């Protein structure tokens, strides 16, 4: 089936630094990539929708200057958490529409210390 | 009121039992309904994908949609310990790659050998 490769799978960073998360669609073209955040015992919450070659659309309450999204090609979208703080520690997951439905990456566990 | 309501559980059943997982929703525009399985610290994996009302069967899994009641179900027959995971319902108004998907909180299932 369709595969979305997400890296890194986990990262620990110091408060104030930036972290980049990559999602690649390996065998299909992803015009649109969805970025979710999942806190423990909570549902997946959509943060933003990225569209290849255009600006991302952010959900209410998500700071676009803090969570920078780049979707430069049909197979790659990146999320950069800028000036990370401990409250940004969460599980970040990307998803794209494929022939198999919505395919998810394996997620990135971000811990900010 | 949340758009999608799902009991977080946990739900514990003996091996071989029939499991019933359910979600209710409030948005009548939802047309596409999905069930995902998520193991701890992993991205969700698509199990079933249905359109509008009706039943769909795939091996031990059966998905039911009752749009008149805004109620969807996932049944797992002959449950196995390997089925132990969190099950997320998800739904969207359309099937286009740009369509936003709304998730339930997920029901944690434990199948006891």
């Amino acid at each position: 089936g369709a595969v979305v490769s997400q890296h890194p799978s986990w990262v620990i960073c110091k408060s104030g630094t930036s972290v980049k998360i990559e999602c690649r669609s390996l065998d299909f073209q992803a015009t649109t990539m969805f970025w979710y955040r999942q806190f423990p015992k909570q549902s997946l919450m959509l943060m933003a929708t990225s569209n290849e070659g255009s600006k991302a659309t952010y959900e209410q309450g998500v700071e676009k200057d803090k969570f920078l999204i780049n979707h430069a090609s049909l197979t790659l979208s990146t999320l950069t958490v800028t000036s990370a703080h401990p409250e940004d520690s969460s599980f970040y997951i990307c998803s794209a529409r494929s022939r198999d439905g919505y395919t998810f990456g394996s997620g990135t566990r971000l811990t900010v210390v | 009121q949340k758009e999608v309501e799902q009991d977080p559980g946990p739900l514990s059943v003996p091996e071989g039992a029939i499991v019933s997982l359910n979600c209710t929703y409030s948005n009548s525009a939802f047309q596409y309904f999905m069930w995902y399985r998520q193991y701890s610290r992993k991205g969700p994996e698509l199990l079933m994908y249905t359109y509008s009302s009706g039943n769909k069967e795939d091996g031990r899994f059966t998905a039911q949609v009752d749009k008149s009641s805004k109620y969807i179900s996932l049944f797992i027959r002959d449950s196995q310990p390997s089925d132990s995971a969190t099950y997320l319902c998800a739904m969207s108004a359309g099937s286009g790659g740009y369509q936003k998907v709304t998730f339930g909180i997920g029901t944690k299932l434990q199948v006891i050998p």
Side-chain angles (χ1 to χ4, degrees):
Chain A
V3 176
V4 173
S5 176
Q6 183 172 348
H7 294 281
S9 56
W10 61 270
V11 59
I12 301 173
C13 70
K14 290 185 178 180
S15 186
T17 61
S18 296
V19 173
K20 180 185 282 188
I21 301 170
E22 288 190 355
C23 276
R24 294 180 184 272
S25 54
L26 296 187
D27 54 356
F28 67 100
Q29 294 183 333
T31 306
T32 303
M33 190 78 78
F34 301 93
W35 287 94
Y36 294 87
R37 182 167 51 184
Q38 187 178 34
F39 291 106
K41 299 185 180 181
Q42 293 189 26
S43 183
L44 287 162
M45 296 301 296
L46 181 65
M47 297 175 64
T49 303
S50 74
N51 299 290
E52 185 268 336
S54 64
K55 290 183 178 181
T57 303
Y58 290 82
E59 296 299 301
Q60 191 173 10
V62 178
E63 299 174 57
K64 62 180 181 181
D65 294 329
K66 181 172 184 60
F67 299 99
L68 301 179
I69 290 174
N70 185 280
H71 196 153
S73 77
L74 287 172
T75 59
L76 173 63
S77 178
T78 62
L79 168 68
T80 301
V81 182
T82 63
S83 187
H85 291 284
E87 57 265 29
D88 298 322
S89 298
S90 187
F91 192 55
Y92 293 85
I93 311 175
C94 60
S95 172
R97 183 79 166 89
S98 69
R99 59 186 176 277
D100 300 326
Y102 290 92
T103 300
F104 285 82
S106 54
T108 298
R109 172 74 56 188
L110 171 64
T111 302
V112 184
V113 298
Chain B
Q1 183 188 8
K2 292 181 183 178
E3 273 194 301
V4 179
E5 297 277 1
Q6 183 176 13
D7 187 338
L11 177 63
S12 293
V13 300
E15 183 176 353
I18 296 175
V19 176
S20 173
L21 303 167
N22 312 292
C23 287
T24 59
Y25 62 96
S26 59
N27 188 345
S28 58
F30 288 143
Q31 298 279 346
Y32 294 85
F33 303 91
M34 295 150 277
W35 284 95
Y36 285 86
R37 178 173 60 196
Q38 186 177 24
Y39 293 109
S40 181
R41 302 194 176 202
K42 299 289 185 182
E45 169 195 10
L46 180 66
L47 286 176
M48 301 286 284
Y49 181 83
T50 56
Y51 169 69
S52 196
S53 287
N55 295 357
K56 185 174 183 179
E57 188 173 319
D58 184 1
R60 297 185 294 112
F61 298 91
T62 299
Q64 286 186 352
V65 175
D66 182 348
K67 288 190 67 182
S68 62
S69 302
K70 295 189 177 67
Y71 186 87
I72 69 171
S73 300
L74 177 71
F75 297 96
I76 307 174
R77 290 183 298 281
D78 187 25
S79 56
Q80 302 296 310
S82 58
D83 295 328
S84 298
T86 296
Y87 290 80
L88 299 145
C89 63
M91 42 201 83
S92 68
S95 64
Y98 55 88
Q99 287 288 341
K100 175 181 174 180
V101 177
T102 303
F103 288 85
I105 195 171
T107 299
K108 187 171 184 179
L109 171 67
Q110 184 178 16
V111 180
I112 302 168

